[in-house]
Amino acid sequence: MSSEGDKYDAALDLLRRLNPVKINSNLQNVINLEPTLAEDLLSSIDVPLKISNDPGFSNREYLCCDYNRDLDSFRSPWSNEYFPKLSDDVLMDSPFPSESLRQLEILCNDSFDVYRDLYYEGGVSSVYLWDLEDDENAEDFAGVVLFKKSNKSKNHWDSVHVVEVVSTNGNTFQYKVTTTIILQLEKDDSESQKLLRLSGNLTRQTEKTLSVDANSLEQTHIAHVTNLGVLIEDVESQMRNLLETVYFEKTRDIFHQVRNGATIEDQLNQTAHAEVIKGLQNL
Amino acid sequence: MPSRRPIVKAKTTGSFENSNSQEPPKIPSQRPVRRTTTEIIEDNESDEDIIESYGTEDSKPSDVDDVPSIPRRPQRQGLLQESNDINKEEQSIAYINSIDSESSNKNEDTTSLKDVIPEQPAMPERPAKRETSEIFQHGSNMEKSEKKHTLSTTDVADEVQESPIIPERPMRKKSRETLSESGSSLNSPEHSDAIEAPQNVPEEDLTAPDSDVMTSEENYAVQKNESTSSNNSEEVERKRNDLQDESSPPLGETSVSMDPRDEEESRLIKNLEREGGQHTVKDQGNGILTEDQKVASLADLAAQQSTSLLSENQEQTALADLAAQKEIMGMALNDKLTIEPVETTISAKLSEPDISSPVELKDEKETSSSSSKEKKEESQTPTIPERPKKRAPPPVPKKPSSRIAAFHKLLERQQLQELNASKTSGGTEGEEKEDKSENVSEAVKTGKENSINSQRTEFARNLNGLFALPGMVPMDGALPKALGKNLSPPSENITSEEPVVTETSRNEVSDVRQRRARGPRGRKLPSSVSNVKKVVAENSTSSIEVFEVWTISNVRKAVAEQTREEATSAHSPFESEISEGYVVEEDGKEINTAQSEETKVTMVNGSPSETSSTEELEKTMSSDEENITEGVNHEEPSVTSISESVECRDENNQVEEAELEYETRAEKQMEEEILKDDQVLSDVE
């Protein structure tokens, strides 16, 4: 526990095992325990996204996360301004994407807004891009693609795709996507005072090396958007299926183990199938 | 048989009733006649087939598939075996006559049937189709083959010229539908029995509504002939004469009154009668003359055929009359043989095969009658390829539940994959890959022989990951194939504008600790976090030390006295008195030293230490003297426990004595004080 890395790992292990519904408070407590880990934990621990309105863009909604935050303000992808407004002194040091990257960010926001409309049929999406710190090549960049859909209740789906695009060889880029899906389902029956809650998060990483046509900046941007869109679409669909087929099904199995609601016929069918499978395995 | 006859009777009687109200009582007698004719026709298997092919292909060349009668062949072969040879001969004769009539209509040489065969036109059969359609319209549940049989007979007889009525194709389709519906019962013997009934119907229907009277009368006549044939020969002759008298007038009436179309129809009917008459000839052989004469007269009335045809017919009738039955049989066989190639050639022509095949068949048929049947089969081979199409669909296997079916499919796939992987050598079987199922079955057959053991093991091993059961964890951390396929990224199919150079998608569960892209530089922490100060835990200065607090040793008073005495006197009975000493440990544990022991054990913080030297004992004794008062052991309460002190007290009577002394002193003092007080009080008083 002496080194900083061990503390960081311990904090991640701890937060992974704590109640995901209270991830904000738990994260704050861990940071209070070890403030030096605050920056790393804030950038690596995904919390449910917040929705803010952009007063500079007709109060259009945008999503807030650690990647578009500075102090207590969040940058809007629509107006490229921080809200609440920051002072000029602070704003001088606040992060903004470069001009070309801002163009790509606008394009990505428009594109993923269409994606969001198609797949989520509602919700909010935001894309934030930034230049990498140790950037030898100006073409490298990173970003985050956010989706959130929630209704008035506490149920929500949050997708956080952290993207890192690094030029490997000329026109080829390596896309590294770290996807986190935060899902919370809650059914509160106030009359019977019964609360059913199902929540959790799932994180996966995907890497792909794709080629980009670098004839012009606009084509490069379009290629980046295309590649990112395809990648995120795949990953998100895959993870959704994973949630549905593995986790929900496993939860369902557990639920049925706790209280078996199957009828006698179903049980007989299950036993018959089990016998068939057993016989086949004995072949 | 008997169950279906009434139905057919009703139909036929109905038709007859419509035609002629006076005839119905005679209908029963007519029916056997027709039945016999049809039976005769049915008995000849080859003829029937030929006629069918002729009629169908002629009417509708495009419908090559319309050979519905093929499945019935075995039945008819059975009938053929069962039927008398005489019937065959006579029927063949009838066909010869009919073919001759056709050939005569075409003004061709009918001397040799071989010459006629290729020249027979296929077109004039449409009326026959119309008849079939009409037959089906009447609602009879005939099979198509039977209908065609009747058609063919009529066509071969005289209907070649009756083409004005174009067959209605929709009706034909309808007949096909009925056929297909009844196709399952084609092979049943009941069905073959039922054939008889419909054959009556088409013959009746063949006659146009105008000629219904004719048909009824003529049929009646033919039936009468047959009935006579069943009787004695004399009666037969008498009735034959009667029949001639009866049949001739209506024929004449109809021929006079009818239109040309009616005449043709009447001719057709005559041919039918002629067939019936020849059938009677087969049966009896006596009434042939009348029938033949009748036929001849009918042929004369038609007056459209050539004289050569008439002469040939007459010659044939004469031959039939004069020749013995054996000769007739021989003729019939030869004629049959000749007819068969004709039909085959017709069918071949219509189906556009090579011409060589019929020629060869003809040559073969001329050789011998014994091999005729085999050659007949060979000649029918061109139609054999059509059989599979017309075969009834195989019995549908019982459908298992959908899950089991899906499971079987899965197994098949699995087997196929495994066999394809291991079947590199057996590539010959892979040539036929029209159907997957067939391939699977073949592959399974071959594969079982080759590597069934290894496949079993592999198969069983592969099954472990295939089926997901509740509570089952994927083996080796990998997802099942189906699930992995479902979850696999579909991006492989996506063709982006830019070609993908390399694609290394990792679906592995990545380490969460692996750093992802950090946020933009220059960000400042939020106020809630930035103001946090780390709480440092200060180390406490207090320390714990353990040390000896006290030790106590309790020694008897006698020992102390003895020590005193020793001190006074040089005599020292030290050893014996030490034995009564007690050393009390700090924790109250008593250690009783043996009386004879010279050593004394002292416990210091639980660790015993022996002091064997007498000097130490003296020191301790001397130290104890300070604590011991006269007659009383002063025990430090903190050192000795209460129990030990009590024991010591009990053991020492001195203590008790001392206590008694204290008590007595106290009592005395009390008494003195009381006395003093009394004195004072008394003084005061």
Side-chain angles (χ1 to χ4, degrees):
Chain A
M1 289 293 175
S2 60
S3 66
E4 215 45 44
D6 292 340
K7 290 180 182 178
Y8 178 70
D9 292 342
L12 291 179
D13 290 341
L14 183 62
L15 291 172
R16 194 163 53 234
R17 288 166 173 79
L18 292 175
N19 188 357
V21 177
K22 299 177 182 176
I23 185 68
N24 281 317
S25 61
N26 291 329
L27 180 62
Q28 185 65 41
N29 292 333
V30 172
I31 289 172
N32 291 336
L33 198 62
E34 187 60 45
T36 56
L37 300 175
E39 189 175 357
D40 292 335
L41 291 176
L42 287 175
S43 62
S44 56
I45 299 297
D46 293 309
V47 297
L49 302 171
K50 295 177 183 176
I51 299 174
S52 297
N53 294 323
D54 185 0
F57 205 80
S58 64
N59 284 328
R60 186 168 181 177
E61 290 180 334
Y62 67 97
L63 294 174
C64 302
C65 68
D66 186 66
Y67 295 101
N68 64 333
R69 179 193 52 76
D70 189 15
L71 291 176
D72 293 331
S73 299
F74 295 92
R75 183 171 67 90
S76 168
W78 316 118
S79 61
N80 199 20
E81 293 180 359
Y82 282 91
F83 298 100
K85 294 265 186 183
L86 294 172
S87 64
D88 292 339
D89 295 337
V90 175
L91 206 60
M92 289 292 290
D93 298 331
S94 295
F96 285 98
S98 62
E99 187 61 29
S100 64
L101 202 59
R102 173 62 187 163
Q103 297 300 322
L104 179 59
E105 188 181 76
I106 293 170
L107 186 61
C108 285
N109 274 291
D110 294 338
S111 300
F112 282 105
D113 193 52
V114 175
Y115 171 88
R116 188 262 316 156
D117 189 31
L118 291 174
Y119 276 99
Y120 289 85
E121 296 178 350
V124 184
S125 68
S126 297
V127 180
Y128 303 101
L129 301 180
W130 61 90
D131 297 301
L132 291 176
E133 291 181 1
D134 302 330
D135 192 5
E136 297 177 356
N137 191 349
E139 293 177 350
D140 296 349
F141 65 94
V144 61
V145 182
L146 308 173
F147 299 101
K148 184 182 182 66
K149 185 174 183 181
S150 62
N151 51 12
K152 293 178 181 177
S153 66
K154 293 181 181 178
N155 301 326
H156 62 84
W157 168 289
D158 295 328
S159 291
V160 180
H161 305 275
V162 180
V163 182
E164 191 173 4
V165 182
V166 178
S167 175
T168 56
N169 183 14
N171 294 333
T172 59
F173 286 83
Q174 183 183 17
Y175 296 85
K176 180 180 176 183
V177 180
T178 304
T179 301
T180 302
I181 290 176
I182 303 167
L183 180 65
Q184 181 171 344
L185 302 175
E186 190 171 315
K187 184 182 180 184
D188 190 2
D189 193 354
S190 60
E191 293 181 355
S192 60
Q193 293 182 351
K194 291 178 181 176
L195 178 64
L196 176 64
R197 182 181 292 163
L198 179 65
S199 59
N201 53 35
L202 186 66
T203 302
R204 292 287 183 274
Q205 265 190 351
T206 306
E207 286 184 11
K208 272 188 180 179
T209 303
L210 301 169
S211 65
V212 172
D213 188 5
N215 291 331
S216 65
L217 186 63
E218 188 177 0
Q219 288 181 354
T220 305
H221 288 173
I222 291 171
H224 279 311
V225 171
T226 304
N227 294 333
L228 285 176
V230 170
L231 196 57
I232 287 171
E233 185 181 18
D234 293 345
V235 171
E236 207 167 50
S237 301
Q238 178 184 348
M239 292 181 72
R240 188 196 177 282
N241 290 329
L242 198 67
L243 277 173
E244 183 181 0
T245 57
V246 176
Y247 292 92
F248 286 175
E249 196 66 22
K250 184 65 180 175
T251 305
R252 187 172 168 274
D253 290 341
I254 295 170
F255 177 71
H256 284 295
Q257 288 290 329
V258 173
R259 174 72 174 85
N260 191 2
T263 61
I264 296 172
E265 293 180 356
D266 294 336
Q267 290 178 354
L268 291 174
N269 287 331
Q270 285 181 356
T271 54
H273 287 301
E275 288 178 357
V276 169
I277 291 166
K278 192 181 291 181
L280 289 169
Q281 286 177 346
N282 291 329
L283 284 175
Chain B
M1 290 295 292
S3 62
R4 292 197 179 183
R5 278 182 191 170
I7 299 168
V8 180
K9 272 183 186 177
K11 291 177 182 177
T12 54
T13 52
S15 63
F16 284 118
E17 285 176 359
N18 292 327
S19 63
N20 188 359
S21 62
Q22 295 176 354
E23 295 296 328
K26 298 176 183 179
I27 290 165
S29 63
Q30 291 177 350
R31 297 197 72 247
V33 175
R34 295 212 170 181
R35 191 166 64 85
T36 53
T37 55
T38 54
E39 283 177 356
I40 291 160
I41 294 164
E42 287 175 358
D43 291 336
N44 194 351
E45 178 184 353
S46 62
D47 294 340
E48 185 179 350
D49 294 333
I50 293 160
I51 291 160
E52 287 176 2
S53 63
Y54 177 75
T56 54
E57 293 174 354
D58 193 10
S59 61
K60 208 173 189 179
S62 63
D63 291 334
V64 182
D65 296 335
D66 287 334
V67 190
S69 64
I70 291 170
R72 282 187 201 164
R73 285 176 186 170
Q75 293 179 353
R76 289 181 182 170
Q77 286 177 354
L79 291 171
L80 180 63
Q81 292 174 357
E82 291 176 1
S83 63
N84 296 324
D85 295 332
I86 298 166
N87 292 328
K88 294 179 185 176
E89 295 169 357
E90 291 174 356
Q91 187 179 1
S92 63
I93 292 164
Y95 280 112
I96 292 164
N97 292 327
S98 63
I99 293 164
D100 291 336
S101 64
E102 289 179 356
S103 63
S104 64
N105 289 328
K106 294 169 188 174
N107 295 323
E108 294 175 355
D109 294 333
T110 58
T111 55
S112 65
L113 290 170
K114 295 176 185 176
D115 297 333
V116 175
I117 293 159
E119 293 177 356
Q120 280 183 344
M123 292 304 293
E125 283 192 357
R126 288 198 172 180
K129 272 194 177 179
R130 181 179 64 84
E131 290 164 358
T132 56
S133 62
E134 288 175 359
I135 290 160
F136 287 107
Q137 284 177 355
H138 284 295
S140 63
N141 292 325
M142 293 171 58
E143 295 182 356
K144 194 173 181 181
S145 62
E146 296 168 356
K147 298 166 193 173
K148 286 180 178 178
H149 178 73
T150 57
L151 282 171
S152 62
T153 55
T154 54
D155 289 334
V156 172
D158 282 327
E159 251 190 0
V160 177
Q161 295 177 352
E162 291 181 355
S163 59
I165 299 168
I166 297 166
E168 296 177 358
R169 293 193 173 181
M171 295 305 296
R172 185 176 174 77
K173 286 181 180 178
K174 185 177 177 182
S175 66
R176 269 188 210 168
E177 291 174 356
T178 56
L179 209 172
S180 62
E181 289 175 358
S182 62
S184 61
S185 63
L186 283 172
N187 293 324
S188 65
E190 295 178 359
H191 186 74
S192 63
D193 295 336
I195 292 167
E196 299 172 358
Q199 284 177 351
N200 292 327
V201 178
E203 289 176 357
E204 293 170 1
D205 294 332
L206 286 170
T207 60
D210 295 335
S211 63
D212 287 338
V213 176
M214 282 286 295
T215 56
S216 64
E217 291 176 357
E218 290 177 358
N219 288 328
Y220 174 68
V222 171
Q223 287 176 354
K224 273 191 173 183
N225 289 326
E226 288 184 355
S227 64
T228 55
S229 66
S230 63
N231 296 325
N232 294 325
S233 62
E234 295 176 356
E235 293 176 356
V236 169
E237 289 178 354
R238 279 187 295 159
K239 288 184 179 179
R240 226 186 296 152
N241 294 323
D242 296 334
L243 286 170
Q244 288 177 357
D245 295 334
E246 289 177 356
S247 62
S248 60
L251 286 169
E253 291 175 359
T254 54
S255 63
V256 171
S257 62
M258 282 182 175
D259 295 336
R261 182 189 290 177
D262 295 332
E263 290 179 359
E264 292 176 354
E265 291 176 353
S266 64
R267 226 191 315 145
L268 199 157
I269 294 158
K270 289 169 191 173
N271 286 326
L272 289 170
E273 288 179 357
R274 186 175 57 186
E275 290 178 358
Q278 290 174 355
H279 178 68
T280 57
V281 167
K282 298 170 193 171
D283 295 334
Q284 296 175 355
N286 292 326
I288 296 167
L289 288 171
T290 57
E291 294 293 329
D292 294 333
Q293 289 174 355
K294 193 196 291 182
V295 171
S297 62
L298 290 169
D300 293 333
L301 290 170
Q304 293 178 355
Q305 297 176 351
S306 63
T307 56
S308 63
L309 176 65
L310 289 170
S311 63
E312 288 176 356
N313 289 327
Q314 289 176 356
E315 289 176 357
Q316 287 180 355
T317 54
L319 288 170
D321 294 334
L322 296 172
Q325 287 185 353
K326 291 182 181 178
E327 294 176 356
I328 291 166
M329 289 176 65
M331 289 289 291
L333 290 171
N334 292 324
D335 293 334
K336 195 190 279 184
L337 291 171
T338 54
I339 288 164
E340 290 169 358
V342 171
E343 293 165 354
T344 53
T345 51
I346 290 164
S347 62
K349 278 185 178 180
L350 292 169
S351 62
E352 296 180 358
D354 292 334
I355 300 167
S356 61
S357 61
V359 172
E360 292 176 357
L361 291 170
K362 289 176 188 176
D363 296 331
E364 290 176 356
K365 287 165 187 174
E366 289 177 356
T367 56
S368 64
S369 61
S370 62
S371 64
S372 63
K373 290 182 180 179
E374 296 177 355
K375 292 170 183 174
K376 198 188 296 179
E377 292 177 356
E378 291 177 357
S379 64
Q380 291 173 356
T381 51
T383 58
I384 289 170
E386 296 176 357
R387 282 186 181 177
K389 296 178 181 177
K390 287 298 173 183
R391 277 181 186 168
V396 179
K398 292 181 179 179
K399 284 185 177 179
S401 64
S402 60
R403 288 185 179 180
I404 295 173
F407 177 68
H408 285 306
K409 286 183 178 178
L410 192 67
L411 289 179
E412 287 182 358
R413 285 182 194 168
Q414 188 71 18
Q415 290 175 350
L416 185 63
Q417 290 177 358
E418 291 178 358
L419 292 169
N420 286 331
S422 63
K423 199 182 63 178
T424 55
S425 62
T428 56
E429 297 172 356
E431 294 176 357
E432 298 176 355
K433 291 186 177 179
E434 295 176 356
D435 294 334
K436 282 187 177 180
S437 60
E438 293 178 359
N439 289 329
V440 169
S441 61
E442 293 175 357
V444 167
K445 288 177 183 177
T446 58
K448 280 181 180 177
E449 296 175 354
N450 292 329
S451 61
I452 189 164
N453 292 326
S454 62
Q455 285 177 3
R456 276 187 177 180
T457 55
E458 292 178 357
F459 179 64
R461 196 193 318 150
N462 291 327
L463 280 176
N464 291 328
L466 278 178
F467 309 104
L469 294 174
M472 189 173 175
V473 179
M475 299 297 289
D476 300 330
L479 293 173
K481 289 183 178 180
L483 185 61
K485 185 180 179 182
N486 189 19
L487 297 177
S488 63
S491 62
E492 297 175 355
N493 297 326
I494 297 170
T495 57
S496 58
E497 294 176 354
E498 295 79 18
V500 177
V501 176
T502 59
E503 181 176 345
T504 58
S505 63
R506 295 175 186 173
N507 293 325
E508 301 171 355
V509 178
S510 62
D511 189 2
V512 178
R513 297 172 191 173
Q514 189 174 355
R515 298 294 178 92
R516 62 187 184 188
R518 297 177 66 88
R521 60 191 170 189
R523 290 180 301 152
K524 300 170 200 63
L525 291 173
S527 59
S528 61
V529 177
S530 61
N531 295 329
V532 173
K533 290 182 180 179
K534 184 176 181 179
V535 177
V536 179
E538 296 178 356
N539 294 326
S540 63
T541 56
S542 60
S543 62
I544 298 171
E545 294 180 357
V546 179
F547 53 90
E548 295 179 3
V549 179
W550 48 264
T551 60
I552 188 169
S553 62
N554 190 8
V555 181
R556 286 186 176 182
K557 183 181 176 181
V559 176
E561 288 176 352
Q562 287 178 357
T563 54
R564 283 180 186 174
E565 289 175 358
E566 289 174 356
T568 55
S569 64
H571 181 68
S572 58
F574 195 70
E575 297 176 355
S576 62
E577 293 170 355
I578 288 173
S579 61
E580 296 180 356
Y582 287 93
V583 175
V584 179
E585 204 176 357
E586 184 181 5
D587 56 354
K589 191 172 181 180
E590 180 182 343
I591 300 171
N592 190 6
T593 59
Q595 291 181 357
S596 62
E597 285 182 349
E598 296 180 356
T599 60
K600 180 185 174 185
V601 178
T602 58
M603 299 292 288
V604 178
N605 292 329
S607 61
S609 63
E610 291 185 357
T611 57
S612 61
S613 63
T614 56
E615 295 177 355
E616 291 177 352
L617 283 173
E618 289 176 356
K619 288 180 181 176
T620 54
M621 294 297 287
S622 63
S623 63
D624 289 336
E625 286 178 358
E626 297 175 358
N627 297 325
I628 298 170
T629 59
E630 294 179 355
V632 176
N633 284 331
H634 293 285
E635 300 173 355
E636 291 181 9
S638 60
V639 174
T640 56
S641 65
I642 295 170
S643 61
E644 290 174 350
S645 61
V646 168
E647 289 178 355
C648 291
R649 185 195 62 184
D650 295 338
E651 291 177 355
N652 276 334
N653 294 324
Q654 294 177 355
V655 176
E656 293 176 353
E657 291 173 355
E659 286 178 352
L660 289 172
E661 289 177 358
Y662 280 119
E663 287 176 356
T664 55
R665 284 179 191 175
E667 286 176 356
K668 287 178 181 178
Q669 287 179 0
M670 290 285 288
E671 289 175 354
E672 288 176 357
E673 287 177 357
I674 292 168
L675 289 173
K676 287 179 182 177
D677 291 337
D678 292 338
Q679 288 178 358
V680 173
L681 288 171
S682 61
D683 292 339
V684 173
E685 290 176 354

